[in-house]
Structure formats: structure tokens, C-alpha cells
């Protein structure tokens, strides 16, 4: 990305993306959790805790995944996407079985797309192909 935008912009985006994504995720989780009721302090706290957890997990996966081989790289993002989606979906009041099935569908789709991407853009040791 630094080749396209420059090193400074890439660094800002590297840190701004999980923060903004976490805030959107936290707001979304809090909005679903309150079921169109009044906004309470607990609801706001729930949203911020979700935002912090999402941003921390995103940052952790982003830092660790590139160190892994392409299969584990895709598996880490698969787990992140499946867990994040499953938690949000469970806030809607859906059954646990429905939440698991939906999050598995999302996770498998993310794995398939990312494995294909990494398989076609990296060698077996995880080095980018030029």
C-alpha cells in the first residue's frame, strides 16, 4: 500500500482503519443490543467495549497473520471474521444455532477468498510474488 499512497499515508491508514472499524462495529453492536429502546449508560459502555475488543483483535490479527504461512494467514482472518459476525448476529436475538450457521458461512467465504488471494500472490513461504 505504501507504493500507492506513500509511507506516511499508509502508516496513518494502518492505525486509523482498526479504530474507525472498531467504532463502527461498537456503534452497530450497541444499536442492535438496545432493540430500539432508550440509549443508556450500559448501552454506551457495551458499544465502547465492543469497539475496543474489535479494534484490538483486528490489530492483533493484522500484526500476526503476515508472519504465518498463507493457510494460517487465511485461517486467522477467517476466525476473526466469523467471530465478529457471529457476535453481532447473536445480538439480534437469533438462536445460537442460527448464529453459528451464519457465522460459519461468513467465515468459510472469507477463508476461500483470502486463501485464493494469498495462494495467487505469495509463494509457499509467504513471500509476495512480483
Amino acid at each position: 500500500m505504501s507504493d500507492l499512497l506513500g509511507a506516511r499515508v499508509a502508516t496513518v491508514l494502518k492505525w486509523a482503519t482498526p479504530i474507525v472499524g472498531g467504532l463502527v462495529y461498537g456503534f452497530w453492536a450497541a444499536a442492535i443490543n438496545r432493540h430500539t429502546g432508550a440509549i443508556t449508560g450500559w448501552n454506551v459502555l457495551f458499544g465502547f467495549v465492543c469497539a475496543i475488543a474489535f479494534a484490538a483483535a483486528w490489530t492483533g490479527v493484522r500484526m500476526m497473520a503476515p508472519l504465518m504461512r498463507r493457510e494460517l494467514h487465511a485461517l486467522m482472518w477467517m476466525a476473526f471474521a466469523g467471530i465478529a459476525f457471529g457476535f453481532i448476529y447473536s445480538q439480534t436475538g437469533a438462536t445460537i444455532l442460527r448464529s453459528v450457521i451464519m457465522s460459519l458461512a461468513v467465515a468459510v467465504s472469507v477463508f476461500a477468498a483470502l486463501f485464493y488471494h494469498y495462494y495467487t500472490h505469495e509463494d509457499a513461504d509467504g513471500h509476495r510474488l512480483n
Side-chain angles (χ1 to χ4, degrees):
M1 181 178 303
S2 63
D3 296 340
L4 180 64
L5 300 173
R8 188 174 184 175
V9 174
T11 302
V12 169
L13 286 176
K14 179 180 170 182
W15 292 106
T17 305
I19 292 169
V20 171
L23 289 172
V24 169
Y25 186 85
F27 176 76
W28 188 14
I32 291 172
N33 185 265
R34 69 184 172 95
H35 303 292
T36 67
I39 297 173
T40 64
W42 291 113
N43 186 250
V44 172
L45 178 65
F46 178 76
F48 277 112
V49 169
C50 289
I52 291 167
F54 183 88
W58 184 337
T59 303
V61 170
R62 190 190 66 222
M63 291 173 69
M64 293 300 297
L67 303 175
M68 308 294 175
R69 295 187 56 164
R70 59 185 169 214
E71 295 85 4
L72 292 176
H73 193 166
L75 274 172
M76 287 182 76
W77 282 112
M78 176 190 96
F80 173 76
I83 291 167
F85 182 82
F87 178 73
I88 282 285
Y89 196 80
S90 71
Q91 296 302 305
T92 64
T95 64
I96 295 296
L97 181 61
R98 177 76 179 188
S99 296
V100 169
I101 290 169
M102 296 299 288
S103 65
L104 281 175
V106 168
V108 168
S109 300
V110 167
F111 177 78
L114 289 179
F115 181 77
Y116 175 77
H117 174 77
Y118 299 138
Y119 191 80
T120 58
H121 291 81
E122 296 178 354
D123 64 10
D125 294 325
H127 303 105
R128 288 182 176 222
L129 299 175
N130 291 334

